[in-house]
Amino acid sequence: MDMGRESRWEKDAMSVEIVFALVTAALLAAVVFAATLALTLVLGVSGSAREQMRGAGALAGGALGVWRVVRVLRRFDVQRRQGR
């Protein structure tokens, strides 16, 4: 077997880690957006302020989702390079 190529186990582990990163990122983004939406309802915000808060919640959720994907995949890469 060629030592320069990844084994099937390594490819499967990478696939699982990618799915884990995407699912947790989606959940994190949804929670942040839901919290922002709940805050607008609790505070009784209406009109353009409500739309701006929704936009800010969507932006924050998306940014945190991307951060989560990058963080999980970087951690996986560091562990893979260390041979763990």
Side-chain angles (χ1 to χ4, degrees):
M1 184 150 109
D2 185 9
M3 295 302 289
R5 295 184 180 222
E6 296 173 336
S7 69
R8 185 70 196 156
W9 180 87
E10 289 171 328
K11 288 180 182 178
D12 288 346
M14 192 178 308
S15 297
V16 167
E17 202 67 24
I18 290 169
V19 170
F20 172 75
L22 291 173
V23 168
T24 58
L27 288 174
L28 178 63
V31 166
V32 169
F33 181 73
T36 306
L37 185 60
L39 187 62
T40 61
L41 294 174
V42 168
L43 295 176
V45 179
S46 62
S48 65
R50 181 182 221 169
E51 295 302 317
Q52 288 177 354
M53 285 187 74
R54 284 184 185 172
L59 183 64
L64 285 174
V66 169
W67 170 78
R68 176 70 179 163
V69 168
V70 170
R71 182 173 173 248
V72 168
L73 295 181
R74 271 194 166 168
R75 184 185 65 206
F76 176 75
D77 187 50
V78 167
Q79 289 176 352
R80 186 181 61 85
R81 289 174 189 252
Q82 291 176 350
R84 291 185 194 172

